[in-house]
Amino acid sequence: MRASLVGGGLLLSAFGPLAALVLLAGSPLPVAWWNMAGAVLMLAVTALAGTVVRAARGSQAVPLRCVEVRQRDSDLLSLLGAQMVPVVLAVFAGSDPARQVAMVLYLLIFAVVYVRGRLYYLNPVLALAGFRIWELELENGAAVRLLSRAEFLPQHGVVRAHRLAPGVFIASRRDRPGRPTVTQEDRP
């Protein structure tokens, strides 16, 4: 799957709820119903996360042979904290054009850093869907991020996953509560 499609889809889905909050709380558009329509559109855009996940899972799964696994859900909390800045600005800025321009510039810089840094895995919508963030150190020494619904991943094992973007994978469908992430035939 092309990295630009993944990046664009996950960026829009990650920032859709934030944009809806800004539109509803700050009312930056001149007509009230434009703000409401924009908020509904932004919430609809969050469905792109599901589209990207389905498209990625349609590709061939690859085995990731792990030597160390670390949970990284706290990275998402850092992102959410940074995302609150424009919401606070929208609520308290009122109709001051300079503050609204500052808010838009902040969001643009944030979006560029998100895409250029390949932070696709930091997506609040995917977290709400039950995905957790894991950092896997592979046998070849590479470190990758894995999105998985698993509550636990063994320190040594093989996880089947689909590539979302360079260094970012999503676990196979069988990775659901009650189903093993690491199958018997994949165990070292």
Side-chain angles (χ1 to χ4, degrees):
M1 180 182 300
R2 299 191 67 186
S4 59
L5 293 176
V6 170
L10 292 180
L11 170 73
L12 290 172
S13 71
F15 286 90
L18 174 67
L21 279 174
V22 168
L23 286 167
L24 292 175
S27 299
L29 300 176
V31 181
W33 72 267
W34 289 0
N35 291 304
M36 184 63 71
V40 169
L41 176 65
M42 290 297 104
L43 289 175
V45 163
T46 61
L48 287 173
T51 303
V52 169
V53 167
R54 278 190 297 281
R57 284 189 167 159
S59 67
Q60 181 69 32
V62 296
L64 300 175
R65 299 188 183 286
C66 313
V67 294
E68 189 173 346
V69 176
R70 290 179 290 284
Q71 192 175 0
R72 300 298 301 230
D73 289 335
S74 61
D75 293 355
L76 182 60
L77 293 176
S78 299
L79 176 83
L80 289 174
Q83 280 186 335
M84 287 297 104
V85 171
V87 173
V88 170
L89 282 174
V91 171
F92 295 110
S95 60
D96 180 17
R99 288 187 183 169
Q100 288 183 346
V101 168
M103 178 181 62
V104 169
L105 286 175
Y106 177 82
L107 286 173
L108 286 174
I109 291 169
F110 200 83
V112 168
V113 168
Y114 183 85
V115 171
R116 291 246 171 125
R118 294 183 181 145
L119 302 175
Y120 313 126
Y121 60 93
L122 296 175
N123 189 310
V125 174
L126 292 177
L128 288 173
F131 286 95
R132 303 180 76 134
I133 302 167
W134 299 89
E135 181 178 23
L136 308 178
E137 185 178 325
L138 304 179
E139 284 180 345
N140 65 3
V144 298
R145 297 290 197 270
L146 175 74
L147 296 171
S148 171
R149 288 190 169 126
E151 295 288 324
F152 170 80
L153 289 177
Q155 285 297 318
H156 299 283
V158 177
V159 177
R160 293 207 179 276
H162 306 271
R163 184 177 177 266
L164 272 178
V168 181
F169 293 84
I170 188 161
S172 293
R173 277 202 167 106
R174 69 169 175 228
D175 173 35
R176 301 195 185 232
R179 293 187 182 172
T181 300
V182 180
T183 61
Q184 282 297 110
E185 65 268 11
D186 291 333
R187 292 183 195 265

